[in-house]
């Protein structure tokens, strides 16, 4: 829009003003800088892509990706031939319309990835299918680049030069694949684990990326062919791909690419559009659009994808982006298309992309499939059927406490644990998200962060055969959409509980060591969308180590595990009670349940009180012979008394369990709610994890599944 405004259609009409804003001596500098920016952008596009996805995309993506180009391109070519015959179009115009149809039919991977990222559905089920399909469809762009680069040579009768350029392009790809890529792998091997890639290597690679643009021109290709192929040769992800993206993307996306896109807008000129050309080009664009939507829609429906998702997928595959603008810009400056056609095509990119983005946002909501209509909770699970838990891990340091929590969940042969562990890794340095399944029967995994975590859980599984089973996954995706993978796995595995770590970490002396706001957002998203109950686990070291130094005269005995449950009432507290009761069936667990009753609660929900009383009566009936279980009811008059009760528990327990009490007000927590720092934990959980609460006892905040009734 900026390029359009300062270009010929608006301010550019005033010649004097245009030369004040863009003096003649500065125009070449702006053009060269913008072209350099797009060259690096193309290199980064290649870096983010994983070419091996082509071999593992599946038949569904293969069919959608290939036919999404073939069907509209065939329809557009047929329409062009019919128009050329009926309207007696010139040969040059006919050839141009064929290229226009091919350009409108292609689907580029960066455009689809950008749209999915903006819609925040990149790692949803539909997003993964769209990414795989776009990877297949993106090959049409590579073919189109080779064809258009040799178009002028063939037009001037230089057929031998065109063939030579094609062969040199193939030779360039071979050199990059068999000589340059091994060099990149060598750089990665020379980089120690956890260490950054040397600046010297980054500088040399950047120089090579810019030089590859000149090499592309020298061998008869467009300037963007070489950088893209070179980027594909860089192994995506850490350490090399991630470092390149982190260092180059801010300047490219923040400055150079907007400059290039504005430059495209400067070349637009609505006053030179001829009506008959506009009509024919618009019809070809419309034919391609309808053909792509109908083709993808029919294929998706044939693959038994629901209609709304099929329509959303077809619209996503119509998205356009910077790659298309570059192709049109290249064609304009090589005289393949005229300025009027260029203007129409750029306008179609803006209109189609804007419209499809808005429509998909209305059509597709991935969170709806996670909405719980069936109760998947610990409270309502069959006692003899086992318990399915999805545990989330960010770092290896979290694993020992999580395993201890699973151990005290009391897996038995009569009621085993089915554990699904997922290692959550932020997506950096690549476009396509990954969800990998690790097979637990293998002896060991690679020496990576995920491999180490998986190996720990593999040993845990081996040591507890017969009472639990572990299935491990790794997901690599952006934090803002990571909850999609967590909820999808929980839904697929029919789990009753998701355990996810708290976003704060503590040091040995109880001080806050680090906080990660992205993890806090992830936890909130999981709480809002989970298809089962959720527990946020705040580990403060005491889970596995006990009290190394007692702050009072009382301390936890060395060979016992003590759990306290604070029960105020509500669905979340009843879920926490059910989990604590399962723990208490282990003779090595000592459980203390404290019910806090408000002295005066005028807003008490009588039905919820009935459910609370029933749950507690059943609990007492089933545990009255268990000497390790203590139950007490305490009437509290104010916040100070409640705080004193909580502090009396901190040094006697390894773990305190509380309900989140989502949407349940109480005079007991009214004083805490006014100063809540972490609303996702509820008032009690926030107090127990606050900086004013110096205890090292670990906290588990439980939210029962939110079941929809609509």
């Amino acid at each position: 829009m900026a390029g359009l405004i300062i270009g010929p259609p608006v301010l550019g009409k005033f010649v004097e003003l245009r030369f004040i804003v863009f003096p003649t001596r500065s125009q070449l500098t702006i053009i060269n800088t913008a072209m350099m920016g797009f060259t690096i952008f193309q290199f980064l596009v290649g870096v983010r892509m994983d070419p091996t996805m082509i071999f593992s995309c599946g038949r569904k993506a293969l069919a959608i990706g290939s036919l999404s180009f073939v069907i509209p391109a065939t329809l557009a070519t047929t329409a062009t031939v019919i128009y050329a015959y009926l309207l007696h179009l010139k040969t040059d115009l006919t050839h141009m319309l064929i290229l226009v149809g091919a350009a409108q039919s292609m689907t580029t991977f960066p455009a689809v990835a950008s749209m999915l990222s903006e819609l925040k559905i990149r790692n949803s089920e539909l997003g993964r299918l769209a990414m795989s399909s776009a990877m297949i469809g993106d090959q049409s762009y590579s073919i189109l680049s080779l064809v258009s680069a040799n178009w002028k040579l063939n037009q001037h009768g230089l057929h031998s030069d065109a063939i030579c350029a094609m062969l040199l392009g193939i030779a360039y790809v071979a050199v990059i694949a068999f000589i340059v890529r091994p060099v990149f792998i060598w750089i990665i091997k020379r980089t120690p684990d956890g260490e950054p890639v040397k600046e010297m290597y980054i500088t040399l690679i950047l120089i090579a990326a810019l030089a590859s643009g000149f090499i592309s021109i020298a061998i008869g290709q467009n300037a963007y062919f070489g950088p893209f192929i070179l980027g594909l040769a860089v192994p995506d992800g850490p350490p090399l791909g991630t470092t390149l993206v982190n260092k180059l993307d801010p300047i490219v996306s923040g400055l150079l690419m907007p400059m290039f896109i504005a430059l495209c807008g400067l070349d637009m000129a609505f006053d030179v559009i001829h009506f008959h050309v506009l009509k024919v080009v618009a019809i070809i664009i419309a034919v391609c659009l309808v053909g792509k939507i109908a083709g993808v829609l029919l294929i998706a429906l044939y693959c038994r994808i629901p209609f709304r998702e099929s329509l959303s997928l077809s619209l996503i595959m119509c998205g356009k982006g910077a790659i298309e603008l570059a192709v049109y810009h290249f064609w304009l400056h090589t005289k393949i298309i005229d300025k009027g056609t260029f203007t129409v095509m750029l306008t179609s990119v803006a209109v189609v992309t804007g419209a499809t983005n808005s429509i998909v946002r209305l059509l597709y909501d991935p969170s709806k499939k996670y909405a719980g209509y069936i109760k998947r909770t610990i409270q309502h699970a069959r006692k003899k059927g086992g318990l399915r838990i999805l545990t989330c891990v960010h770092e290896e340091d979290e694993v020992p406490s999580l395993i201890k929590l699973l151990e005290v969940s009391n897996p038995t042969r009569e009621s085993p644990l089915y554990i699904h562990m997922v290692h959550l890794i932020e997506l950096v340095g690549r476009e396509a998200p990954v969800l990998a399944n690790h097979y637990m029967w293998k002896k060991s995994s690679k020496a990576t962060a995920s491999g180490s975590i998986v190996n720990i859980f593999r040993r845990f599984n081996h040591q507890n055969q017969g009472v639990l089973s572990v299935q491990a996954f790794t997901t690599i995706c952006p934090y803002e959409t990571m909850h999609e993978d967590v909820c999808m796995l929980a839904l697929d595995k029919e789990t009753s509980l998701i355990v996810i770590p708290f976003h704060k970490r503590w040091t040995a002396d109880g001080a806050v060591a680090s906080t990660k706001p992205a993890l806090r957002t992830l936890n909130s998203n999981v709480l809002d969308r989970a298809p089962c109950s959720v527990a946020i686990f705040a580990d403060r070291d005491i889970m596995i180590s006990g009290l190394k130094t007692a702050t009072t005269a009382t301390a936890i005995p060395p060979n016992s595990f003590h759990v306290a449950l604070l029960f105020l009432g509500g669905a979340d507290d009843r879920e926490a009670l059910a989990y604590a009761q399962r723990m208490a069936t282990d003779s090595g667990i000592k459980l203390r349940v404290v019910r806090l009753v408000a002295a005066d609660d005028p807003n008490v929900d009588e039905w919820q009180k009935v459910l609370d009383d029933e749950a507690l009566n059943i609990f007492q009936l089933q545990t009255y012979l268990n000497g390790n279980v203590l139950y007490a009811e305490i009437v509290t008059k104010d916040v100070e008394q409640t705080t004193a009760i909580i502090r009396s528990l901190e040094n006697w327990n390894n773990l305190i369990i509380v309900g989140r009490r989502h949407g349940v007000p109480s005079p007991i927590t009214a004083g805490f709610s006014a100063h809540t720092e972490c609303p996702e934990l509820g008032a009690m959980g926030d107090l127990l994890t606050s900086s004013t609460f110096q205890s090292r006892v670990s906290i588990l905040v439980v939210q029962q599944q939110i079941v929809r009734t609509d």
Side-chain angles (χ1 to χ4, degrees):
M1 293 302 297
L4 184 64
I5 291 171
I6 62 180
V10 186
L11 298 180
K13 292 181 178 180
F14 306 98
V15 179
E16 294 182 358
L17 179 61
R18 181 173 183 179
F19 279 99
I20 290 174
V21 179
F22 292 106
T24 303
R25 64 180 180 273
S26 70
Q27 291 182 11
L28 185 60
T29 302
I30 294 172
I31 292 172
N32 289 337
T33 304
M35 293 302 179
M36 180 184 70
F38 190 79
T39 300
I40 302 175
F41 172 78
Q42 275 290 81
F43 170 69
L44 292 179
V45 167
V47 171
R48 288 189 174 103
M49 290 178 66
D50 181 8
T52 59
M53 281 182 61
I54 297 175
F55 305 105
S56 59
C57 60
R59 295 180 180 179
K60 190 185 299 184
L62 181 62
I64 293 172
S66 55
L67 294 180
S68 67
F69 174 78
V70 172
I71 292 175
T74 302
L75 292 175
T77 303
T78 303
T80 300
V81 172
I82 293 173
Y83 265 100
Y85 177 77
L86 295 178
L87 302 179
H88 306 288
L89 300 179
K90 294 180 181 179
T91 304
D92 290 347
L93 181 58
T94 302
H95 291 166
M96 183 191 73
L97 290 176
I98 292 174
L99 276 182
V100 169
Q104 289 293 318
S105 301
M106 71 181 185
T107 301
T108 57
F109 182 82
V112 171
S114 177
M115 179 181 289
L116 294 173
S117 180
E118 184 176 347
L119 293 170
K120 297 183 179 180
I121 58 173
R122 185 157 38 162
N123 57 314
S124 65
E125 190 175 357
L126 181 68
R128 292 180 188 277
L129 178 58
M131 294 276 272
S132 299
S133 302
M135 181 70 75
I136 300 297
D138 199 81
Q139 307 314 306
S140 61
Y141 162 68
S142 303
I143 296 171
L144 194 61
S145 296
L146 290 172
V147 172
S148 61
N150 296 291
W151 183 266
K152 296 302 290 185
L153 294 174
N154 281 309
Q155 275 191 325
H156 294 291
L158 303 175
H159 302 297
S160 59
D161 289 353
I163 295 173
C164 182
M166 186 72 71
L167 294 175
L168 287 174
I170 296 172
Y172 175 83
V173 173
V175 169
I176 295 296
F178 297 107
I179 298 178
V180 178
R181 180 173 171 81
V183 173
F184 292 149
I185 295 174
W186 176 81
I187 292 174
I188 292 174
K189 290 181 178 179
R190 284 183 60 87
T191 303
D193 291 340
E195 296 292 328
V197 179
K198 291 183 179 179
E199 291 290 338
M200 177 184 66
Y201 296 142
I202 301 299
T203 303
L204 291 175
I205 292 172
L206 178 58
I207 293 172
L210 294 173
S212 63
F214 294 103
I215 295 173
S216 297
I217 297 173
I219 64 176
Q221 305 298 328
N222 66 59
Y224 314 128
F225 172 78
F228 175 70
I229 299 299
L230 182 65
L232 284 178
V234 177
D236 62 327
L240 186 56
T242 301
T243 303
L244 288 169
V245 171
N246 287 340
K247 288 184 176 294
L248 300 179
D249 190 62
I251 185 70
V252 173
S253 299
L255 176 64
L256 299 179
M257 276 306 295
M259 187 182 297
F260 173 79
I261 296 172
L263 183 66
C264 293
L266 282 171
D267 287 327
M268 295 179 71
F270 289 96
D271 55 345
V272 300
I273 299 176
H274 300 291
F275 178 74
H276 72 283
V277 175
L278 169 63
K279 181 177 69 174
V280 175
V281 172
I283 289 174
I284 296 300
I285 292 174
V287 167
C288 289
L289 184 62
V290 172
K292 185 179 284 287
I293 292 176
V296 175
L297 179 63
L298 292 175
I299 299 166
L301 290 174
Y302 177 78
C303 295
R304 298 182 179 180
I305 300 175
F307 177 78
R308 290 174 70 93
E309 295 186 16
S310 298
L311 182 57
S312 299
L313 178 61
S314 63
L315 292 172
I316 290 171
M317 296 297 286
C318 293
K320 305 295 180 185
I323 302 293
E324 287 80 0
L325 297 186
V327 172
Y328 305 156
H329 192 263
F330 173 75
W331 288 355
L332 174 65
H333 288 275
T334 54
K335 308 299 182 184
I336 294 177
I337 59 176
D338 56 32
K339 186 164 282 193
T341 304
F342 174 79
T343 303
V344 174
M345 296 179 74
L346 251 67
T347 304
S348 73
V349 169
V351 172
V352 170
T353 303
T356 54
N357 196 317
S358 301
I359 296 172
V360 172
R361 198 182 298 273
L362 293 173
L363 282 175
Y364 183 65
D365 182 6
S367 65
K368 287 185 178 180
K369 68 170 60 179
Y370 309 132
Y373 296 95
I374 301 174
K375 288 185 178 180
R376 292 199 177 108
T377 68
I378 302 174
Q379 183 185 3
H380 300 94
R382 291 184 302 165
K383 305 303 180 185
K384 299 279 186 176
L387 179 63
R388 296 180 179 272
I389 300 179
L390 176 67
T391 61
C392 301
V393 179
H394 297 290
E395 299 175 4
E396 188 175 346
D397 294 343
E398 301 166 351
V399 174
S401 292
L402 278 172
I403 287 182
K404 183 62 178 178
L405 179 64
L406 296 171
E407 287 178 344
V408 299
S409 298
N410 192 25
T412 63
R413 293 188 180 275
E414 294 75 19
S415 182
L417 283 183
Y418 301 97
I419 301 164
H420 307 280
M421 186 280 296
V422 54
H423 183 204
L424 308 176
I425 302 176
E426 184 182 11
L427 179 69
V428 180
R430 59 183 297 158
E431 287 287 2
V434 173
L435 179 60
N437 185 359
H438 301 277
Y439 298 100
M440 304 309 290
W441 48 265
K442 291 185 177 181
K443 291 185 178 180
S444 62
S445 297
K446 295 180 180 179
T448 61
S450 279
S452 300
I453 293 171
V454 171
N455 287 335
I456 295 173
F457 274 90
R458 183 178 284 115
R459 288 193 296 270
F460 178 54
N461 182 51
H462 179 71
Q463 293 167 1
N464 296 273
Q465 287 183 354
V467 298
L468 61 80
S469 66
V470 179
Q471 188 175 11
F473 300 87
T474 294
T475 179
I476 306 175
C477 57
Y479 275 127
E480 61 183 4
T481 57
M482 194 173 281
H483 62 277
E484 298 287 352
D485 279 353
V486 175
C487 294
M488 183 180 68
L489 279 172
L491 182 68
D492 183 57
K493 303 303 178 183
E494 299 181 351
T495 61
S496 297
L497 181 68
I498 297 172
V499 179
I500 191 163
F502 189 45
H503 70 277
K504 290 183 180 180
R505 300 291 299 275
W506 287 270
T507 59
D509 59 359
V512 176
S514 63
T515 60
K516 293 184 178 180
L519 302 188
R520 182 179 179 183
T521 302
L522 167 64
N523 292 352
S524 298
N525 289 334
V526 172
L527 287 168
D528 291 340
R529 296 171 172 83
C532 61
S533 297
V534 181
I536 297 180
F537 181 44
D539 173 34
R540 302 186 82 158
D541 185 53
I542 199 173
M543 279 287 292
I544 55 174
S545 62
L547 281 182
K548 296 176 182 176
T549 57
T551 56
T552 65
T554 58
I556 302 171
N559 296 319
S560 62
F561 194 90
H562 289 231
V563 179
L565 170 68
L566 291 171
F567 189 96
L568 280 72
D572 296 345
D573 283 28
R574 293 193 294 272
E575 184 73 358
L577 180 66
Y579 193 21
Q581 183 176 348
R582 179 186 174 92
M583 293 180 178
T585 54
D586 185 345
S587 59
I589 307 295
K590 297 186 181 300
L591 173 64
R592 179 179 297 182
V593 177
V594 179
R595 185 184 189 183
L596 301 179
V597 181
D600 182 20
D601 187 0
N603 299 318
V604 64
D605 187 327
E606 293 297 336
W607 175 243
Q608 289 296 322
K609 187 175 183 301
V610 169
L611 295 177
D612 294 340
D613 291 339
E614 181 185 6
L616 287 168
N617 289 335
I618 294 174
F619 169 77
Q620 293 180 73
L621 182 64
Q622 294 178 348
T623 60
Y624 80 98
L625 293 178
N626 190 340
N628 290 328
V629 176
L630 297 176
Y631 174 79
E633 286 191 14
I634 303 176
V635 177
T636 60
K637 299 178 181 180
D638 50 33
V639 173
E640 289 75 12
Q641 186 177 359
T642 303
T643 304
I645 294 170
I646 295 172
R647 291 194 179 280
S648 68
L649 298 174
E650 58 182 345
N651 293 314
W652 283 99
N653 295 284
N654 302 87
L655 176 68
I656 296 179
I657 305 176
V658 296
R660 187 189 176 204
R661 293 180 54 78
H662 178 59
V664 182
S666 170
I668 296 175
T669 59
F672 306 143
S673 302
H675 308 285
T676 300
E677 182 183 354
C678 301
E680 69 273 16
L681 296 180
M684 295 294 287
D686 181 72
L687 172 67
L688 290 166
T689 57
S690 65
S691 57
T692 58
F693 201 81
Q694 295 297 324
S695 171
R696 291 173 55 202
V697 63
S698 296
I699 311 299
L700 190 70
V701 180
V702 180
Q703 174 185 281
Q704 191 174 72
Q705 176 195 13
I706 301 173
V707 180
R708 289 193 177 183
T709 57
D710 55 345

